[in-house]
Amino acid sequence: MRLFHHQQRLHWLAEHVIDWSAVPAVHIRPAVLLENPLFSVLAAQSIRDHEALALPFGTGRTSPIAVNAVLRAPQRHIGSVHELTGPAPRADSLRQDPVPHHD
């Protein structure tokens, strides 16, 4: 059984190469980026077609983060690693006119 996917190994290696270099860096690991087509295309399509937010996450929850928020990492975080994830607010709690969602 493979413990890690090839892409995960490459990501791990890239982080370590940066750590070994003299390049000041912040490692940011977003769970998913808001600009991902899952949110921009599938979400819009499901709301338009079914008047409900339906995404392929099953009962899982996610907390997307915008690329602009990731790019504003402050200087004081240099040398640290940040896992950007956490409890996701319900999509309908962010809107004035709630959209039903399906788990």
Side-chain angles (χ1 to χ4, degrees):
M1 179 172 93
R2 276 182 21 185
L3 201 53
F4 295 102
H5 186 275
H6 179 68
Q7 189 66 32
Q8 290 171 314
R9 288 180 189 267
L10 292 176
H11 190 100
W12 176 88
L13 181 60
E15 282 189 2
H16 280 76
V17 167
I18 292 169
D19 288 342
W20 297 328
S21 75
V23 175
V26 178
H27 297 292
I28 298 178
R29 301 174 184 158
V32 64
L33 295 172
L34 188 59
E35 290 80 5
N36 186 311
L38 283 174
F39 297 102
S40 59
V41 176
L42 289 179
Q45 182 178 355
S46 77
I47 291 170
R48 182 185 64 241
D49 296 347
H50 308 288
E51 295 184 0
L53 179 60
L55 294 172
F57 296 123
T59 58
R61 302 244 186 244
T62 188
S63 53
I65 186 165
V67 170
N68 286 337
V70 172
L71 295 176
R72 291 191 303 257
Q75 182 82 16
R76 70 178 185 269
H77 292 283
I78 292 203
S80 60
V81 176
H82 296 280
E83 303 276 351
L84 303 181
T85 188
R90 288 179 48 139
D92 59 359
S93 69
L94 304 175
R95 298 175 48 96
Q96 297 292 47
D97 54 335
V99 174
H101 71 282
H102 302 290
D103 286 336

